[in-house]
Amino acid sequence: MPVISFANAKGGAGKTTAALLLATELAHQGFRVTVIDADPQRWISQWCEISGPVRNIDVVSEVTVASLQCHLRELAPRTDYFIIDLAGARDAIVTTAIGLSDHVMIPVQGSAMDAKGAAQILDLLSFLKDKANLDIAHSVVLTRVTSMVTTKALLTIKGLLAARGVNVLDTPIGERIAFKELFETGGTLHTLDPAKVSNLDKARENAGAFAKEVLGLMPVKITRSAASRLFGLGRNAA
Ligand SMILES: Nc1ncnc2c1ncn2[C@@H]1O[C@H](COP(=O)(O)OP(=O)(O)OP(=O)(O)O)[C@@H](O)[C@H]1O
Ligand SMILES: [Mg+2]
């Protein structure tokens, strides 16, 4: 049960949107997803409240540093993927969640190229590697990209991050009405009405490609995820 967290110390980078897109796509593909809403603003919890039950998705709210490990341990047997949505901060819960993650996704707004918040998370990952011997896989995902700037932004940021050895996903998350709409109406891209939401097909395509690329980053055979290493749960998918 890999743990994928979404982190960027800067507010509004697109963490919650990207986390929800990944969660709903994985659930659509039949995986059992537990979203840990570790943001006191509770955006994903609110999405869950307006959505009602969504097949294959559980949302855990009111998470603390102390309770995070308990949630992972208790829900591991019925979870294929944990997705943790973090606040735009660099605090104890962000550090704890990152330390428990198999992969950290760092959303960065492609057009604004404001990567300072991302750099703080990269520094934290370096710190965990140097001081705690925790080498946590991580990737930057460009968000809110418009087709006009995709290539230029992607190339520029890839170049900047390559120097630090950071992977940037080939699939940026576009600026799309449908992604906003999920938080207004609840549900998933697969339950929204194409007659009411413009370019829903493109949004589905984009979210599907994003989820596919993230899945491709996971180990093919998951023998010991971060949670199992820490709690000795020993799920063996081999
Ligand atoms: N790909 C996108 N297309 C359209 N709107 C987007 C997209 N990504 C984010 N937004 C909008 O930008 C705003 C901030 O996005 P989001 O809440 O996902 O960021 P965040 O990093 O989780 O913010 P916070 O740090 O406050 O938790 C929201 O209003 C959201 O609807
Ligand atoms: Mg958020």
Side-chain angles (χ1 to χ4, degrees):
M1 64 313 277
V3 179
I4 305 167
S5 57
F6 284 77
N8 185 320
K10 182 175 172 290
K15 297 177 287 293
T16 303
T17 303
L20 184 64
L21 291 178
L22 180 62
T24 49
E25 283 305 308
L26 292 179
H28 181 69
Q29 290 180 26
F31 294 107
R32 297 165 303 167
V33 179
T34 298
V35 184
I36 307 233
D37 185 1
D39 183 348
Q41 303 275 341
R42 300 182 73 254
W43 290 114
I44 294 212
S45 303
Q46 290 179 52
W47 166 83
C48 185
E49 283 155 18
I50 54 173
S51 298
V54 175
R55 195 171 66 92
N56 287 335
I57 298 191
D58 282 323
V59 175
V60 177
S61 310
E62 317 288 346
V63 177
T64 64
V65 171
S67 72
L68 186 54
Q69 299 200 6
C70 299
H71 293 309
L72 293 175
R73 185 172 47 224
E74 277 165 19
L75 297 170
R78 56 183 170 96
T79 299
D80 294 316
Y81 288 94
F82 283 105
I83 293 176
I84 308 181
D85 184 35
L86 292 162
R90 188 188 155 168
D91 56 15
I93 197 153
V94 170
T95 307
T96 306
I98 286 178
L100 291 166
S101 296
D102 292 282
H103 204 107
V104 178
M105 287 288 156
I106 308 170
V108 173
Q109 284 195 25
S111 52
M113 291 191 195
D114 187 341
K116 281 187 188 162
Q120 289 190 44
I121 300 300
L122 292 169
D123 289 345
L124 179 56
L125 286 159
S126 300
F127 176 84
L128 290 171
K129 187 175 178 184
D130 295 343
K131 305 290 179 201
N133 205 21
L134 275 177
D135 193 0
I136 299 158
H138 52 277
S139 305
V140 163
V141 54
L142 295 185
T143 58
R144 306 198 72 171
V145 170
T146 60
S147 55
M148 298 284 287
V149 298
T150 301
T151 309
K152 197 173 164 212
L154 194 61
L155 288 176
T156 308
I157 292 189
K158 271 198 152 178
L160 286 171
L161 293 169
R164 293 187 67 153
V166 179
N167 178 47
V168 180
L169 295 198
D170 288 329
T171 313
I173 295 177
E175 171 80 21
R176 300 225 163 260
I177 303 274
F179 299 160
K180 272 186 186 295
E181 192 65 21
L182 288 179
F183 291 92
E184 304 284 331
T185 57
T188 76
L189 293 175
H190 304 279
T191 59
L192 289 180
D193 182 352
K196 292 187 182 153
V197 183
S198 62
N199 288 319
L200 186 55
D201 52 341
K202 293 225 165 55
R204 286 176 181 162
E205 207 177 287
N206 188 187
F210 167 57
K212 188 175 174 198
E213 193 173 353
V214 174
L215 280 188
L217 293 169
M218 300 296 126
V220 178
K221 289 184 178 180
I222 301 151
T223 50
R224 280 167 76 74
S225 70
S228 62
R229 274 197 308 277
L230 280 153
F231 309 125
L233 293 168
R235 175 178 188 262
N236 193 335

